[in-house]
Amino acid sequence: MRGWILTLTGAVGIVFGFSHIGLADAIDGDWCNSSGKRMSIRGPAIVTPGGQQTSGNYNRHFFSYVIPAGETGAGATVEIQLLSEYLAHAHQPGDPSIQEWRRCQPGVS
């Protein structure tokens, strides 16, 4: 009986531990890449790496938008997937290249 209680307690602890980790991150925030580009996501609103404000499809761990006119690749869709609290990957469907984005350091936006 004691072994069963310890097992159950451990399982509950693991479940609550993982659920806490999952709630701690969201794609919202300021993102920087190694080439010096920046973007900012706030719900469905984004300031693109080209500096334009537009909107897109928002999910807590995913964001997609259509590149606005006047920017390189205008009309193409960009999909951004949150991989961890501090790392996201962006790509265009059909293009195998991936851009790595990291949370901007405090004071950088």
Side-chain angles (χ1 to χ4, degrees), residues 83-106:
L83 300 176
S84 73
E85 189 171 353
Y86 302 102
L87 177 65
H89 280 173
H91 78 281
Q92 294 179 358
D95 182 350
S97 64
I98 293 179
Q99 295 179 3
E100 185 174 279
W101 291 86
R102 297 197 174 270
R103 295 263 182 208
C104 296
Q105 295 296 319

Side-chain angles (χ1 to χ4, degrees), residues 26-37:
I27 201 163
D28 298 86
D30 300 318
W31 294 91
C32 297
N33 73 11
S34 61
S35 66
K37 292 184 180 181

Side-chain angles (χ1 to χ4, degrees), residues 44-98:
I46 183 171
V47 176
T48 67
Q52 295 194 51
Q53 294 183 13
T54 190
S55 61
N57 299 310
Y58 172 83
N59 178 294
R60 186 173 175 87
H61 298 110
F62 178 83
F63 190 89
S64 67
Y65 71 98
V66 175
I67 300 172
E71 292 190 18
T72 304
T77 299
V78 175
E79 296 179 345
I80 307 162
Q81 179 71 49
L82 184 66
L83 300 176
S84 73
E85 189 171 353
Y86 302 102
L87 177 65
H89 280 173
H91 78 281
Q92 294 179 358
D95 182 350
S97 64
I98 293 179

Side-chain angles (χ1 to χ4, degrees), residues 13-34:
I14 290 171
V15 168
F16 281 113
F18 282 127
S19 63
H20 177 71
I21 291 168
L23 295 174
D25 59 334
I27 201 163
D28 298 86
D30 300 318
W31 294 91
C32 297
N33 73 11
S34 61

